[in-house]
Amino acid sequence: MGSNQTWITEVILLGFQVDPELEIFLFGFFLLFYSLTLMGNGVILGLICLDSRLHTPMYFFLSNLAIVDMSYASSTVPKMLANLVMQKKTISFAPCILQTFLYLAFAVTECMSLVVMSYDRYVAICHPLHYSVIMSWRVCTVLAAASWIFSFLLALVHITLILRLPFCGPQKINHFFCQIMSVFKLACADTRLNQIVLFVGSVLVLVGPLSLVLVSYTRILVAILRIQSGEGRRKAFSTCSSHLCVVGLFFGSAIIMYLAPKSSHSQEQRKILSLFYSLFNPLLNPLIYSLRNAEVKGALRRLGKKRLL
């Protein structure tokens, strides 16, 4: 580094760059969505813990997804909300890097969790007689733990590569949080290695898992069509369609964000995509599972009756 270069100690998050009046509206709007995200996922988590009928592998993984969603949203949204109502829209460099690490780790954990959930449905529908043996509680715990460990290790690889770079400016990030591609722009060195590793990692955790999910659901669809009972077919299809909705929303927006050519989306469009999968998607997950899942709705009714009594 030259003598005229200085190390960045804090970063300015430009955010949405709108009028102050609109910032107040956005603050209230996003605060409402964030509160609903925490409440919705919290309700799902509470129902699964309190209702013994939901103590099954499927709902174990759903509770894990709820924890991931709450953590994922909380890694970026609180700072975004604070910046909407504060004049000084800055974040220190160390918390910025920590934010990058956490949102990467939770994003990858969500990808892995969705793959594990699709495998659980595949075993339940295609191998029902062996389900309790294959998806034992030990196996479920190992799969969930492996998803978290792999995700945090992969995020650590990205952060390690980022910290080897000299950061001397520009000091501004044209985003509402320390998104990894925006952090690359702060470096005053060649970031091609970082971009290659990010692309390879994105293929690994997006295209690979999505392919596994699609293969699983192709086989599940064939198995559902073979079910003789109309009620059994309806129940299986309802459960799987809920999961497919979540998979489509998350993987679709993430693939567009990280694998589409940079020139095809403006920075403002990328902000909207980031907002979708970091705030709106975690809110939609509990709504999709609660509205389309009879067992979750039944557990909610039973809990309501207990409260009334």
Side-chain angles (χ1 to χ4, degrees):
M1 294 175 64
S3 57
N4 63 337
Q5 294 175 333
T6 56
W7 193 272
I8 291 175
T9 57
E10 67 176 16
V11 177
I12 300 171
L13 295 171
L14 297 179
F16 298 100
Q17 302 180 67
V18 295
D19 294 333
E21 294 80 9
L22 186 55
E23 284 188 332
I24 299 299
F25 170 78
L26 290 177
F27 172 80
F29 183 71
F30 293 148
L31 179 61
L32 175 63
F33 268 74
Y34 180 55
S35 301
L36 291 174
T37 296
L38 296 181
M39 184 173 68
N41 284 284
V43 168
I44 292 289
L45 190 60
L47 283 175
I48 293 171
C49 291
L50 295 173
D51 197 314
S52 59
R53 299 186 191 184
L54 300 183
H55 293 176
T56 63
M58 173 183 166
Y59 292 103
F60 169 75
F61 292 126
L62 181 55
S63 65
N64 182 64
L65 183 66
I67 294 171
V68 174
D69 281 335
M70 289 189 288
S71 303
Y72 191 25
S74 298
S75 67
T76 59
V77 176
K79 183 60 180 175
M80 178 188 72
L81 292 174
N83 283 348
L84 283 172
V85 294
M86 293 174 63
Q87 293 293 326
K88 190 178 180 183
K89 305 178 188 299
T90 60
I91 182 172
S92 298
F93 185 74
C96 179
I97 295 299
L98 177 62
Q99 188 182 63
T100 303
F101 170 75
L102 290 176
Y103 106 85
L104 280 174
F106 292 132
V108 178
T109 305
E110 176 136 359
C111 290
M112 297 299 104
S113 298
L114 292 174
V115 173
V116 170
M117 291 174 73
S118 70
Y119 175 69
D120 171 70
R121 290 300 84 205
Y122 163 73
V123 175
I125 294 172
C126 298
H127 303 282
L129 298 179
H130 302 97
Y131 179 70
S132 59
V133 176
I134 297 174
M135 299 302 295
S136 65
W137 283 112
R138 183 171 179 272
V139 170
C140 293
T141 304
V142 169
L143 288 173
S147 298
W148 284 85
I149 293 170
F150 169 79
S151 304
F152 274 76
L153 288 176
L154 183 60
L156 187 61
V157 170
H158 289 300
I159 296 303
T160 302
L161 290 174
I162 285 174
L163 292 177
R164 58 180 279 277
L165 298 170
F167 288 92
C168 50
Q171 199 176 355
K172 297 178 180 179
I173 288 181
N174 188 15
H175 217 296
F176 60 86
F177 73 105
C178 294
Q179 201 262 356
I180 187 167
M181 290 186 289
S182 298
V183 172
F184 289 163
K185 296 177 182 178
L186 300 177
C188 46
D190 189 357
T191 61
R192 278 180 295 183
L193 175 62
N194 299 75
Q195 292 177 25
I196 290 171
V197 173
L198 178 63
F199 181 80
V200 172
S202 299
V203 172
L204 179 66
V205 302
L206 292 175
V207 178
L210 181 58
S211 300
L212 292 174
V213 170
L214 292 178
V215 170
S216 296
Y217 274 97
T218 300
R219 300 191 66 176
I220 286 172
L221 181 60
V222 172
I224 289 176
L225 294 176
R226 290 175 180 170
I227 296 175
Q228 299 297 322
S229 168
E231 178 65 22
R233 188 184 301 147
R234 186 200 61 78
K235 183 178 179 181
F237 184 78
S238 176
T239 302
C240 294
S241 61
S242 299
H243 186 235
L244 273 177
C245 288
V246 173
V247 167
L249 289 170
F250 183 84
F251 279 94
S253 57
I255 286 174
I256 292 171
M257 181 69 187
Y258 288 101
L259 298 182
K262 292 182 180 179
S263 59
S264 62
H265 302 288
S266 68
Q267 185 61 29
E268 296 306 312
Q269 288 174 321
R270 289 180 176 273
K271 290 179 189 178
I272 294 172
L273 282 171
S274 296
L275 194 63
F276 180 81
Y277 68 75
S278 63
L279 179 60
F280 299 144
N281 199 58
L283 171 62
L284 291 174
N285 287 354
L287 289 177
I288 290 171
Y289 279 111
S290 61
L291 292 176
R292 296 184 62 86
N293 193 302
E295 290 178 327
V296 172
K297 289 189 285 188
L300 192 59
R301 284 194 295 268
R302 288 191 295 272
L303 183 62
K305 290 178 181 178
K306 287 181 181 179
R307 291 292 179 87
L308 292 174
L309 294 174

